[in-house]
Amino acid sequence: MIKVNRNNLYLVLIIYLISIGYVFPTVLSRAPYGTDVFLHLFYTNIMSKVASLNDFYMACIENNYFNYKYPFGLWLFGSISMKITGLSLESLPLILPYGYFTVLIFLYYTYANSLTNKKDIGILSVLFLLSIPFLSLGILAYSTSIFVMSIL
């Protein structure tokens, strides 16, 4: 008989939730998720082709792209990620949100664990976080609000 302790059971449940709720939909759809994802990808692509923010703004003005007044932290982070890792524009919105997601889960666990000083409560709070439908529908979006949420 296989002896399963509580921590292993929590880990299996977390892996199950992440794979069913987050990884499988991304793998099956292969389309970036978010309402204005293509606007973000458009400006991320421009920003990845220039050397400075001044060049980015000059390129936008020269080509009459005037929607660049959006908060550009996501574009800057995405363009730097593209330059460092060599990610393509098509794979960036599918892979990069998992980085934010990992940071969010780690920070949430650390915060919950520091409040209670009990490992089980920290793990259960992560399970609760992963099972919230509102979060599971939007956390993998390539958008500024999700990018900022993982930092805050």
Side-chain angles (χ1 to χ4, degrees), residues 78-114:
S79 66
I80 291 170
S81 299
M82 285 175 64
K83 289 178 181 181
I84 291 174
T85 63
L87 283 172
S88 67
L89 191 64
E90 295 83 22
S91 61
L92 182 73
L94 299 175
I95 294 174
L96 201 58
Y98 282 100
Y100 316 146
F101 185 60
T102 305
V103 168
L104 178 69
I105 289 173
F106 175 74
L107 290 176
Y108 195 80
Y109 171 75
T110 304
Y111 182 67
N113 202 18
S114 69

Side-chain angles (χ1 to χ4, degrees), residues 50-130:
V50 297
S52 68
L53 283 177
N54 185 43
D55 294 342
F56 167 73
Y57 287 117
M58 293 305 292
C60 288
I61 290 170
E62 288 172 5
N63 294 314
N64 293 325
Y65 303 140
F66 296 115
N67 288 332
Y68 60 82
K69 295 176 183 168
Y70 210 84
F72 64 88
L74 176 68
W75 306 337
L76 183 63
F77 187 73
S79 66
I80 291 170
S81 299
M82 285 175 64
K83 289 178 181 181
I84 291 174
T85 63
L87 283 172
S88 67
L89 191 64
E90 295 83 22
S91 61
L92 182 73
L94 299 175
I95 294 174
L96 201 58
Y98 282 100
Y100 316 146
F101 185 60
T102 305
V103 168
L104 178 69
I105 289 173
F106 175 74
L107 290 176
Y108 195 80
Y109 171 75
T110 304
Y111 182 67
N113 202 18
S114 69
L115 287 176
T116 62
N117 290 327
K118 294 181 181 177
K119 190 175 181 180
D120 289 348
I121 300 298
I123 293 172
L124 286 173
S125 66
V126 168
L127 284 170
F128 180 70
L129 174 74
L130 293 175

